[in-house]
Each structure stands twice: as C-alpha cells, then as structure tokens.
Amino acid sequence: MNTIAQIIKQTLFDVFAIDYDIHLSRPDNQFGDYATTIALQVAKPLGKNPRDVAAALAAKLRETNVFTEVSIAGPGFINLRISASSLSSELDQQWSDTFGDNKTGAGKTVVVEYPSPNMAKPYSVGHLRPGNQGWAVKCLMEATGWKVITDNHLGDYGAPFGVWVTGFLKFSSEEALERDGVYELGRVYITTKKALKEEKERGESILADEVQQWLIKLENGDEQAKLFSERFNRISLEHIHTVMKRLKISTDYELGEAFFAPYGKAAVQTLLETGVAVQNEDGSIIVPLDDYGFDVPLLVQKSNGAALYATSDLATILYREEHWHPDKVIYCVGAEQQFYFTQLFAMAKKLGITTDLYHLWFGFIDQLNEDGSRAKMSSRKGVILMEELLDKAEERARSMVADRDISDEDIQKIALGAIKFSDFSADRRTNILFDWDSIFALTGFSGPYIQYAAVRVNKILGDNTDVEPAETSDYEYEAEKAVLAKLLEYPEVVELAATSIEPHKVATYLYELAREMNRYYESTPVATGDVSPVQKQARLAMLEKVSHVFTHGLNLLGIEIPSRM
Ligand code: ARG
C-alpha cells in the first residue's frame, strides 16, 4: 500500500478506531487525483450514515496538509487532490524503501510447471501459451519473494514410443530421419496414428499389436527397443530445447512422465492400501470421487495393468511433496484439461495432501479466417509449428524496421515481444486472437508499441548523459503529475498480478504507462528546445524511473527491450 492509502488508513483509525485496508482509484481528472469508497464500506459496521462518515474523515484529512483538496461526492465518495510535488516525493520515498522488493511470498515455495510439450510431435503453437504464461508466473512469483522451482513435465512416456518404432520401420527410413529429425518423427507419428485408426475401422489389429509389442519390449529392457527409445527421445528433446531457447524460457528441472513411471505402480498400491482407490472386477483401479462431487471416477490403472496419464501425475504429486515440500503448485496447462485437473486435485485431497494445487489454464489461440470467421489457429497442413511461427515473426519484425540499421538480436527481441505480449492481451481465460497486423501494430496494445516507448525513453537518457538526473524541490512537476501517479501504482500492480496469478495485469499497466508517456512528450520537452537545467535534471530523473519500470515490467513478461528499433 502506498503512503496516500496509509494516511487514510491511519485517519480512519484515529477517527473511528477501526482498521481497514484502503483501496484507491483514479477518478476522472475533474473530480480529483484519487478517490476512495471507504466511507461507504465502513458506514454499515459503524452503524452510521456514509455521508457523515465521509465528512468526519474529510475534515481530518484536510488537517494533514497532504492534500490540496478533499471533497465529498454522491453517497459518500471521498475525492482527493494532491500536489505534484508531494506525488514526486511520495514516489521518491517508495523508490528508496520498497520498490521491487515486495516480499509477500517470503518463506514460501511454489512449483511452477511449464511448458510440458509432448515428445512425439514437433513443438507446435499448442504449447506457446503454457510457456509464455508459465515463464511470466515464475518471474512474478520470484519478484514477490517466493522460492520458485520450475519443472518441465515432458510428455515422454507410453504409447508414442511404440507408435514411433512401428511407424519408423514401416513408413520411414534412416535417410529421412537423418535429414528431417524431429519433423520426420512427427510425420511418422501422424501417419501411423492414421493407419492405426483405419485398421481399427477394418476390425484389424496388426499394427496395434506391433505397437504393443514394442512397448512391452521396452519395459522388459530389450536392447534394440532401448536404442530406439534413446535415439528418438534425444532427437525430440534437442528440438524442444532449441525451441525453448528461441522462446527464451527454461526450467530448473525436466522431470517428465517417463521419470515418474517407475513410481506410478507403488503410488497406486498406496492408494489401494489406504482405501482411496478400489479395484474393479476387470482388474482396473479407480479412485471414486463422488464424495467430491464427481460422478466420474479417476482411472489410475488399466485392466491390463498399464499406467495412465493420471498415474504419472499421482506419482508426480507425491514426489514433489516428498522432495520439495511446496506450499503451492501451479500447472500451466490449456483449458481442455480443466476437468482432468479438478479430478486430480480432488484425488490429492482424498490422499490428505493440503498443498494448494492450482491449474493455471488459458483459452485457445484463434485466428481470423479469410471469410472473417474466427477459429482455432491452424494452417493448411494442420497445426502450426513453433519454429515456423518464430521464423515468420522475425521476418515480420525485419520488414518493420527495414529502413533502419537494426541488429539481428534486436529483431529477435521485437519478434518475440510481439508474440509474447499478445498472450497477455486479456484475461488469460479468454481465447486470444492471433492477428499478425495487430500484434505488430506500433499504435495499439502490442509488444512493439511498449518496446518502442521504452527505446524512446532510453534514447533520451542515452543522449543526455552529460546531465545528472536529479529530483529537486526547485521544480513543480505539474506536467509530470499523471506519469508520477502512474509510476506510483506499479508495485501494487505487480503484487496484485502475483497474488491473482494474472500476468496480463502487468501488460495492461505497461500499455497505460506507454500511453501516458506519449501524452507527456506531446506537452513537455525533456531535453530539447526551451528547457532550463533544473527542468532537464528533474525530467530526466523521472525518465530514469520510467525506464526502470519498463525494463522490470517487460522482464516479468519475458520480453526484452531492443537497443534500437
Ligand atoms: N504434456 C501434456 C500435454 O501437452 C501437458 C502436461 C501437463 N502437466 C501435467 N502434470 N499433467 O497435454
């Protein structure tokens, strides 16, 4: 809470002897700089008329001499006006003691799980949001003092292996694998899956049996199966790492489904012993969840003894509890697995696990079709590959700055900034519209728009290193008022984004700050033209803070600022 809120909180306590947190809003400029509805909130518990409460508070607030105007509106809103110079010293205060040092998560551990792609196919846009959101959540939790452990829960186990080997032997060649790597594996996977489906429709199971044979061979430690598995996995994993590197995301651990497979059986056994799970007549094992409001039980072992997705997640939960003792686990996984995770978490509760397990889900990425309709993003060939998307974004960024001398590194930053920022354009639950023109628009809610605003600030600072930026009481800060008020909001925005696990709140804030800066330049020269030395010092000092907030905020979203653009 900033000191303005603190003063109101103290005043409330002095007058009415009650303790409430104060939320300040920014009303339309004609009413004031800040507003609070606190009188309305406390009137009922105090048994008083809200306007009387507001009047008593206002009288006392006027005495503090912090505000240039305190007025009451409507049923009991309090509007406050503050001088620009108090705002500036307020900001100074915040900067020197708490800025960027919010420790609401201190002493607590959170596991953040992302992007968790599957090994069988090349990295597609399907795992773009898990990566972007996951990385931002990791940064936000770190910024608020949490100990963060990140884990890439790779989909590297089970059927894909059998499908790969069967398909490779039937539909591919050493040559093709050598040449196309993971893309050949992806092709093999899709072709084989299709053949399996067709075979099933014909009532046959030749291929399916072969897939099963390879899985059994692998489980029994067959040499050839092991060689295939290691090789395919290596090709796929190298590819995943290449893509993650381009996306500038990484994790501390990479404990995938295969890692947990050996623990699965034992975990299911524990469930049976504790009575959490029951065995059906056909041998399958389920966890009934009717006491948690689900008609559908969770299947943790098939009738043939095979493990399932849920089996490995069960083992994962137990492993994390034992090794990491987290207070919270955040699973960054798409909306389509919502039902699954509510079931999984119910099972964990049944097992007596009290850790806060949280499914951070998000909507799909849509695109506009030629006829103007909106649909899930895809290409003529099917899914869109992540590397293709990144290549295209870089091409786009390159043409955007074609007339200037911009380094490849900066082009990559712009491309990635555009893609990532669009992920935070709305509440993460909403489907986002991926439209090339708007994600690169230099005038709207886009990564490049914010990056450009930051580059501009940095350029002014860089061009004026001969002047020492400094706050000074010789300067009025009237033109800076709106920007100062915006800067003051930042620590609270970060905290709110972290506690609600909503990185898009940071994005929205950065957009507003960029807009505020553009308005500021329109009215106020910083370093050129008719500017006195004192004005220049004071204005540059504020720009330093703006630059710092842009860097800090964009960094939380995994976006870098180009040196030029
Ligand atoms: N690999 C899975 C998928 O792409 C996501 C894994 C999510 N995490 C988990 N613990 N189940 O669908």
Side-chain angles (χ1 to χ4, degrees):
M1 206 183 337
N2 66 40
T3 42
I4 301 166
Q6 211 80 53
I7 290 166
I8 301 171
K9 188 179 162 88
Q10 185 62 47
T11 307
L12 181 70
F13 188 80
D14 293 346
V15 180
F16 294 110
I18 45 169
D19 194 20
Y20 265 71
D21 275 348
I22 307 296
H23 175 75
L24 291 172
S25 59
R26 303 254 291 122
D28 191 279
N29 189 41
Q30 56 174 312
F31 302 116
D33 297 316
Y34 291 102
T36 172
T37 56
I38 189 64
L40 300 170
Q41 291 169 50
V42 300
K44 203 158 185 189
L46 286 173
K48 289 188 193 308
N49 177 317
R51 270 197 81 97
D52 295 342
V53 175
L57 285 175
K60 197 86 185 160
L61 284 169
R62 284 185 197 109
E63 283 172 26
T64 61
N65 285 331
V66 174
F67 304 102
T68 52
E69 193 186 322
V70 181
S71 57
I72 301 168
F77 304 118
I78 302 175
N79 291 325
L80 303 154
R81 228 178 259 286
I82 185 166
S83 75
S85 51
S86 341
L87 268 186
S88 164
S89 46
E90 162 81 3
L91 186 63
D92 234 17
Q93 184 62 29
Q94 182 192 79
W95 226 264
S96 58
D97 41 74
T98 57
F99 183 80
D101 196 28
N102 181 321
K103 291 281 171 266
T104 40
K108 290 188 279 185
T109 302
V110 58
V111 176
V112 187
E113 192 201 282
Y114 61 86
S116 314
N118 300 320
M119 305 269 285
K121 292 184 241 171
Y123 208 120
S124 80
V125 291
H127 287 90
L128 179 61
R129 299 203 78 185
N132 289 344
Q133 299 279 337
W135 182 261
V137 167
K138 160 204 138 75
C139 296
L140 269 173
M141 303 309 271
E142 270 170 1
T144 46
W146 288 77
K147 175 177 175 210
V148 183
I149 299 174
T150 52
D151 189 14
N152 188 2
H153 193 78
L154 294 168
D156 56 359
Y157 189 69
F161 169 75
V163 175
W164 264 346
V165 189
T166 305
F168 176 69
L169 298 173
K170 201 170 166 64
F171 304 115
S172 183
S173 64
E174 281 296 330
E175 216 189 341
L177 185 61
E178 217 29 68
R179 189 185 58 229
D180 296 334
V182 73
Y183 294 101
E184 178 59 13
L185 285 179
R187 192 189 67 82
V188 163
Y189 185 78
I190 291 164
T191 312
T192 315
K193 282 296 245 194
K194 199 165 150 237
L196 281 162
K197 193 171 160 222
E198 285 162 7
E199 166 188 272
K200 195 171 176 189
E201 281 160 10
R202 289 195 306 271
E204 291 170 12
S205 69
I206 303 165
L207 276 178
D209 290 344
E210 208 173 309
V211 169
Q212 232 26 60
Q213 282 306 315
W214 278 110
L215 283 173
I216 293 168
K217 274 191 189 173
L218 185 65
E219 255 190 72
N220 295 339
D222 174 89
E223 268 313 307
Q224 198 191 5
K226 253 169 59 188
L227 279 177
F228 269 130
S229 164
E230 277 159 19
R231 179 163 168 217
F232 292 162
N233 281 336
R234 182 174 40 75
I235 293 175
S236 181
L237 199 58
E238 269 169 18
H239 163 74
I240 288 172
H241 289 159
T242 307
V243 173
M244 284 176 66
K245 212 167 168 180
R246 281 186 79 178
L247 288 170
K248 305 239 169 104
I249 60 174
S250 60
T251 59
D252 304 323
Y253 292 91
E254 219 156 42
L255 305 180
E257 291 173 33
F259 175 84
F260 292 108
Y263 299 99
K265 279 243 153 66
V268 171
Q269 215 45 49
T270 314
L271 288 191
L272 277 177
E273 281 158 20
T274 51
V276 170
V278 291
Q279 187 144 26
N280 288 328
E281 267 169 30
D282 65 357
S284 62
I285 300 174
I286 56 165
V287 178
L289 294 171
D290 26 1
D291 39 345
Y292 283 80
F294 295 100
D295 302 338
V296 200
L298 188 62
L299 185 65
V300 289
Q301 190 169 305
K302 286 205 230 173
S303 56
N304 64 2
L308 291 130
Y309 189 47
T311 324
S312 109
D313 264 325
L314 165 65
T316 309
I317 291 174
L318 297 175
Y319 179 93
R320 288 173 178 161
E321 287 294 316
E322 189 185 329
H323 291 83
W324 298 337
H325 315 289
D327 298 278
K328 197 178 181 80
V329 181
I330 302 175
Y331 295 78
C332 305
V333 189
E336 60 284 11
Q337 294 190 31
Q338 253 177 296
F339 182 67
Y340 168 72
F341 278 112
T342 41
Q343 276 194 315
L344 184 73
F345 298 165
M347 174 177 72
K349 272 223 182 78
K350 242 183 132 154
L351 264 173
I353 289 166
T354 53
T355 306
D356 177 16
L357 303 175
Y358 187 79
H359 178 202
L360 184 113
W361 58 274
F362 16 80
F364 295 115
I365 304 179
D366 288 344
Q367 65 186 15
L368 280 182
N369 291 329
E370 268 152 36
D371 63 0
S373 65
R374 210 173 143 148
K376 194 169 158 184
M377 197 179 189
S378 66
S379 74
R380 246 171 271 270
K381 288 175 280 172
V383 291
I384 293 185
L385 301 173
M386 203 56 237
E387 291 200 290
E388 273 174 20
L389 187 86
L390 288 170
D391 290 345
K392 196 164 169 193
E394 279 172 27
E395 234 173 77
R396 194 76 200 210
R398 197 174 294 279
S399 65
M400 189 173 113
V401 295
D403 53 338
R404 277 151 285 166
D405 178 25
I406 307 291
S407 70
D408 283 349
E409 216 189 318
D410 280 348
I411 285 171
Q412 281 161 12
K413 288 178 184 172
I414 298 167
L416 213 49
I419 288 182
K420 287 194 179 186
F421 202 80
S422 73
D423 214 296
F424 305 110
S425 56
D427 178 295
R428 65 184 150 75
R429 294 167 191 86
T430 3
N431 289 7
I432 53 170
L433 183 63
F434 194 93
D435 164 50
W436 286 105
D437 287 336
S438 51
I439 72 168
F440 277 94
L442 271 173
T443 48
F445 191 96
S446 78
Y449 174 74
I450 318 290
Q451 284 173 321
Y452 187 76
V455 167
R456 186 169 176 189
V457 173
N458 291 346
K459 168 128 178 44
I460 298 173
L461 289 169
D463 286 349
N464 290 282
T465 46
D466 54 320
V467 185
E468 180 79 39
E471 271 95 34
T472 162
S473 49
D474 297 337
Y475 180 70
E476 256 311 310
Y477 292 100
E478 206 47 52
E480 283 72 24
K481 205 169 174 182
V483 176
L484 292 173
K486 198 78 221 160
L487 286 174
L488 265 171
E489 287 172 28
Y490 182 66
E492 256 174 282
V493 168
V494 173
E495 183 176 345
L496 203 66
T499 46
S500 60
I501 326 186
E502 288 287 4
H504 90 272
K505 289 186 173 143
V506 175
T508 307
Y509 171 87
L510 292 173
Y511 174 67
E512 289 165 2
L513 178 62
R515 253 192 350 200
E516 210 56 82
M517 282 313 288
N518 288 338
R519 270 187 223 127
Y520 175 66
Y521 298 128
E522 272 170 34
S523 66
T524 318
V526 175
T528 47
D530 198 10
V531 179
S532 75
V534 167
Q535 283 175 329
K536 199 165 169 178
Q537 277 197 308
R539 289 172 187 173
L540 287 174
M542 187 190 74
L543 254 58
E544 271 190 339
K545 291 186 171 137
V546 173
S547 166
H548 183 88
V549 168
F550 273 136
T551 309
H552 194 275
L554 283 172
N555 185 50
L556 290 178
L557 304 178
I559 299 173
E560 294 170 294
I561 299 172
S563 54
R564 305 184 49 177
M565 71 185 282

